[in-house]
Amino acid sequence: MTYDYRIAASLSDLRHVDLRATFASLGVVVPNDEPMKYPQESLLASGHVRGLGLPQVFWHWGFLTEASYDTLKGFCAEKSANVYIRTLSEDREWRDYQGILIWPARPQFSAGRVLDFTLLIHGLVDQGDE
Amino acid sequence: MTQVATAPQLEMIRKNGQAAKLYVAALTPAVVYSARLNGLPTLGTDLVAEITYDGGSGTLAEIKAGMTLYVGTSPGGQELGTCRIRKSPTSTIMYIGEQSLIVWVDNCYLTVVLDYELWPKHVHITEDGSVQMDYDVDYVDQHSNFLPVPIMGGHVVKKLTGETVTVQLGPESGTSSYVYGSTISARLWEIPGADSIATPTAASTTAVFSAEGWYPVYHTVTAANGRSKTGMRWVYIWSDEQPPLAVEEISFREDAQEGGHSFELTVSGDANLTQLYDRTLCILFAVDYFEGLEDQVGFILGQENIVGVGRIVSPESLVFGFNSSRASFTVESAQGLFKRITGFPSGVEMKNTPTVWTDMPALTVARALWHLLEWRCTATEIMDVLLPEDTRYASELSSPLTYLWDQMQEIAFTSILASAGIDAHGRLFIQVDALLIPESSKTYPLVMTVEKQDIHSYEINRATETSTSQVVLSGVAVTLGGDGKAYFSLSPGHIFSRVGSPVIIDRLLLASQAQANELAGLLFSSKNNPYSLKLEFSGNNRLVTCFPNQAIYFTVEADDNVRGFEIAGRYIPRRRSIAYDPQNFVITSEVEFEYETSAAVAINGDVPGSGDLSAPPPFPKFPPMPSLPPLLSGLYDPTVLDGGHPRWLMVDRGSTSVGLVYTANFDNDRPDYYTVNAGLTADQYKNINKIIQCPSGAIYVASVRGHADAFVARADGVGGTFEILWDNDIKESVYPGVNNVVLGLGYNPLLPETVMFVTVGPANETGAVHLGVGGTFSITQELSNVIAPGSITWGLDQWLFTPMYWSFGPNAGGKLMPASADSFVPTPVQPGWYTNTAHQRLGTSGYTLHHSSNSGILQLGTNNLTTLTDIGTVPLSIPTEELAMTPDGQFMMTGGYGSANKGKTSDRGYTWVDIASLPYVGNIWVFRYDSGKLAESRWVAGSSYIYYSKNFGGTWVSKQGNMPYLSPFYQITNILKIY
């Protein structure tokens, strides 16, 4: 499977023909992803369960170089930022989303690396096919 | 209105992945015109309705009536206040809503901003007594050629995602502009700044915008009668580049009882006064997603995304912390402001050829409410006003209550059981409650059948006892000619249900006996509603709301509850709350309902004073009332309420007065006063100068001391209809002549209702002693040679009457009538020189106070004037009858002392001092003792103000409540504590 994780500040950048938004171009290794199609569940009176909320995804790295960390930080100068990402959906399809990236509270720096690093991108709105 | 969820809408709200992003659009009003005040208003600060200006900047023609004027000490500031532009300005004068709050400063900054708020329009009474609306609008034909009411829907919010965005404008399907007595003949949409309007003359249209911002939308409707009216709403265009405030926390509540909705708004970013104005308009809206895709579900085309509309209200909360600083605001829909806006009493009566503002042809509740909402405030300009379509006529509809909301509710509920509510779009509905609509007229929609897949859980409460045991209903059917026919109904019947309280509903407008019975049955069943239901909806269901009238269908299955009840039926939404999880963008709602009841059994009620006396069985006779002990001097009223005794009857006397006013909540900071003059003519109630209350509760009023409109009248109690016992018309038949007068009025405090008054004709100075028990009077004696009035009191088993006689020259003499007799003894006791002839008795003792206006000596009489002893010399300019005193006479107050007309004594009248803590008003103050002892005794003072003191006049607090609105130039001349 070819991994096509991307991140950009705009949809046009995300889909730019020079592939500037791919992690390969950014020099960031691909993350483990943990997509949630429905971040909240509601048990219905009928016994069924309804999934609620906008999709979200956790991107997790066992470690990142500080250079990769800085590259990602460039998309989120504050505690959170609007971003566009390409990631695998819960149905394991590549989808483009607009969402809000939440920067973690306490990154662990160690010998030029950042350990056990997780980004949450929530409020994902599907941008449709390219 | 067609608020019935369609199959596609139900499919949407049953999808997975329901989500929403909530935003608040907060209006920053644009400046239309700025100028400086050119000289102070000639009236100073009070009653200012126009101001002169210069240094104007902007386009004068763009100033429209209803816009807001900031008055500040800096450019654009509103430090000195705000007011409403009343009508288009001239090149030097701005016309504003009449107000008294702003302390004008020459050259202060005037800024007209593009903001239309809810403002009162005050009634103005000219010097010649004619009434004008909104300061200077004379009645011409406004109640025969009505202004139309523009119905244009609510505010609209739309996101700009491309070059342009198209916005749908117009009212909800099923609602449209209207006018009483005519039809709408033309419409016109105008939107300054819009790229285009598709069909500007249609009821609904679309408009195109190409830039972010707030756009005023004007919709002018013209009636076939030639009258036109313009409504105003907003279109707010936003984009990702210019976003509105994102909601961090939300606590949205809607309540049918409260009549609207409110939500808390917390802002931790920038929220200074240029970003979030005081009272600013806030539109809470959502970007909704279903299965991850943006979409909308709602009933008003183009406005499905609106969650709530309101204005920031006082107070706001500012929180500072080391790690966080934030501001919290409460936003209320218009009912909040309606409930705080004070209005003059409003009322109209049926006159099919109207000539004044209080005349209304074919008077219905809707027409009375229209008058209130069009001419007493700006509601019809800024919101859809949808009034009841009820056709029952009324002969008169009015409300003296303080606030506009209360006036609306009183006019609507007490007549046809309708109430007001503001919906999520800011529309005002006044409707008969869903549970009180007869079965055949229930046309409100069934929004949806709620299934288990729609909810997370439900809770149902079942009443196992009745809370109302009987409904006693009465009212009147009024014809177009104003004639009335009364109907009476009982539900369930003459016998109460086993438990609960009886409820009396009267003064309703009715159509027939059958309708009265059905209404009584509906009231009984609704008050004993067996079920209340709470549904926790799973997902983004904003289709079910509290306004307008609507229902859902829900089935409680027997297997669902351990009691095994199966309950299927329609339910009426009463309360709604919305919770928002900004982490996951999830909206959920919880709605409380009442079961839709049907009419209980009801029968024709009993017409008072007629019918079969065996049903209901007569009450047993009360045992005879025991004799009350004498009221000993020195006894104080033991009941001391911090805010004062609640019930007081006062006289507002004078040519512009309203006569008798009563309050039952004087202990509140802002007491509500009502007029209680039923049965009296204006000439009579404007001239009352004597009021008494008997132990039975009966009220007697009189115009004593020589007025041409002299009279004595009685009512069963406060608020009852007065019966004239004596006036010049009655007198005429006995003693022909004019200028007959009432010489005195008094009562026996130890018997339920034994009253005496004395009248006299002009020719022979022959007085007539009228003695009555329980309201039935007879003339028991004729007194000769009485020439001037005096006081009548009861004490030591005798009546004492102190008039002036020919035989005593300029002085007065006392007359005694023992309890066992029906006439005064022939020889006056203690003819004295208390030239003002009035006296004051200490309780029912034999002690009486008398004063000579010639010598200024205050005297104490003992044993019903057996002796007279000087107390001290004090110039009192009003009769001693009007002294206010503690029961022992130790502490007294009077308006007859000094040039400031106010004084007090703490030593039974030996020494008097000015009550410096009361303002000098030019008029005479009157006082009445309330309760308490010594320096902590409590007193009421009235004049051009009404005050209350808890420390024998050391300090006073205002208790004038709504009096300035009830009677702008009021003058209190009598005060009576009501038990």
Side-chain angles (χ1 to χ4, degrees), chain B residues 97-129:
Chain B
E98 191 178 20
Q99 60 83 47
S100 301
L101 183 63
I102 296 173
V103 179
W104 302 91
V105 176
D106 193 18
N107 272 325
C108 65
Y109 291 86
L110 307 172
T111 310
V112 180
V113 295
L114 188 51
D115 191 7
Y116 294 80
E117 298 191 53
L118 182 63
W119 289 92
K121 295 177 181 174
H122 292 308
V123 175
H124 182 70
I125 300 171
T126 62
E127 288 183 359
D128 66 3

Side-chain angles (χ1 to χ4, degrees), chain B residues 549-799:
Chain B
N549 279 340
Q550 55 192 272
I552 60 141
Y553 191 89
F554 186 70
T555 302
V556 174
E557 294 175 4
D559 291 344
D560 287 351
N561 63 84
V562 295
R563 302 275 279 166
F565 291 116
E566 181 169 319
I567 307 159
R570 287 159 51 116
Y571 291 82
I572 310 300
R574 295 303 193 194
R575 276 170 293 280
R576 182 170 69 109
S577 62
I578 290 177
Y580 179 54
D581 172 5
Q583 181 72 32
N584 296 316
F585 304 96
V586 172
I587 281 183
T588 52
S589 63
E590 194 173 272
V591 185
E592 294 176 46
F593 302 84
E594 276 189 306
Y595 186 70
E596 186 185 81
T597 48
S598 52
V601 61
I603 64 165
N604 294 359
D606 302 312
V607 179
S610 67
D612 181 1
L613 294 179
S614 65
F619 286 106
K621 287 185 176 176
F622 289 108
M625 181 177 279
S627 295
L628 296 171
L631 301 177
L632 300 176
S633 62
L635 280 184
Y636 288 84
D637 182 345
T639 307
V640 178
L641 298 174
D642 194 52
H645 180 75
R647 294 175 297 283
W648 295 88
L649 183 65
M650 304 185 188
V651 176
D652 169 26
R653 187 168 183 230
S655 59
T656 61
S657 72
V658 296
L660 289 166
V661 293
Y662 173 68
T663 177
N665 62 351
F666 188 83
D667 49 330
N668 287 2
D669 290 342
R670 291 177 53 83
D672 297 304
Y673 294 89
Y674 308 85
T675 57
V676 284
N677 299 303
L680 301 178
T681 66
D683 277 344
Q684 287 170 335
Y685 68 67
K686 287 174 185 289
N687 289 292
I688 295 170
N689 60 6
K690 179 74 178 179
I691 50 177
I692 59 176
Q693 184 191 28
C694 297
S696 69
I699 300 292
Y700 284 76
V701 298
S703 175
V704 181
R705 299 185 199 112
H707 192 274
D709 293 302
F711 73 101
V712 179
R714 174 197 181 276
D716 287 339
V718 175
T721 300
F722 282 99
E723 177 193 0
I724 303 301
L725 300 171
W726 184 94
D727 66 7
N728 275 315
D729 292 337
I730 296 172
K731 172 73 177 173
E732 187 77 13
S733 64
V734 182
Y735 301 107
V738 292
N739 294 329
N740 305 289
V741 298
V742 180
L743 293 182
L745 170 68
Y747 73 110
N748 183 341
L750 303 181
L751 291 174
E753 190 178 340
T754 298
V755 174
M756 174 186 288
F757 64 92
V758 176
T759 58
V760 68
N764 54 8
E765 288 75 42
T766 299
V769 178
H770 305 250
L771 189 59
V773 177
T776 302
F777 283 79
S778 59
I779 295 175
T780 61
Q781 183 186 15
E782 290 191 352
L783 293 174
S784 59
N785 296 327
V786 285
I787 59 169
S791 300
I792 299 173
T793 60
W794 171 269
L796 281 189
D797 275 350
Q798 288 181 313
W799 292 101

Side-chain angles (χ1 to χ4, degrees), chain A residues 37-40 42-46 49-56 84 98 100 102 120 122-126, chain B residues 13-19 21 240 289 291-292 452-457 538-539 581-586 588:
Chain A
K37 190 173 183 179
Y38 308 120
Q40 197 175 101
S42 174
L43 176 62
L44 305 178
S46 63
V49 172
R50 173 166 294 135
L52 297 174
L54 287 172
Q56 59 188 40
Y84 289 83
Q98 186 264 332
I100 301 166
I102 310 294
L120 165 65
H122 75 167
L124 296 178
V125 177
D126 197 314
Chain B
I13 62 170
R14 288 168 179 166
K15 280 186 175 181
N16 284 302
Q18 297 175 44
K21 294 180 178 177
D240 285 334
Y289 300 88
E291 199 65 270
K452 285 182 178 174
Q453 61 172 314
D454 297 313
I455 57 171
H456 171 64
S457 65
S538 170
D581 172 5
Q583 181 72 32
N584 296 316
F585 304 96
V586 172
T588 52

Side-chain angles (χ1 to χ4, degrees), chain B residues 16 57 60 156 165 237 256 389 393 408-409 417 424 534 651 748 767 833 868 884 907 912:
Chain B
N16 284 302
S57 172
L60 200 59
V156 179
V165 61
I237 304 294
E389 296 176 353
Y393 293 116
M408 252 192 289
Q409 297 287 51
L417 302 173
K534 183 157 70 177
V651 176
N748 183 341
W833 35 256
L868 270 171
D907 53 13
W912 291 78

